Amino acid sequence: MDGTAIIIILAIAGVASVLLFAVKGLLDQIPDVIESAGKAREAWQRFKKPDQPHRTDDQEPPMAA
């Protein structure tokens, strides 16, 4: 009976550690998913309004004379 209790405790601990590892992996991917969604939204807006030229982050806005 004592051996069975130890095996059950070890099994529960193993399942919990695998679940925590899986959840951590999913949570680590969230920032990349949010960034990709933002890029997709910007691309869609540029597609809908092609009259406006796309300005990248390294370009400065035009200076007024």
Side-chain angles (χ1 to χ4, degrees):
M1 189 71 169
D2 291 332
T4 305
I6 292 172
I7 297 295
I8 290 173
I9 290 172
L10 288 174
I12 291 172
V15 169
S17 67
V18 169
L19 286 175
L20 287 174
F21 185 75
V23 168
K24 181 188 179 301
L26 289 173
L27 291 177
D28 286 343
Q29 294 176 5
I30 289 176
D32 294 333
V33 170
I34 293 172
E35 183 178 344
S36 296
K39 288 180 181 179
R41 184 177 57 242
E42 289 174 0
W44 179 253
Q45 289 173 352
R46 283 193 314 264
F47 176 75
K48 287 172 47 177
K49 297 180 183 178
D51 297 348
Q52 300 173 351
H54 175 65
R55 185 176 73 87
T56 58
D57 293 335
D58 58 346
Q59 292 176 339
E60 295 182 12
M63 301 289 270

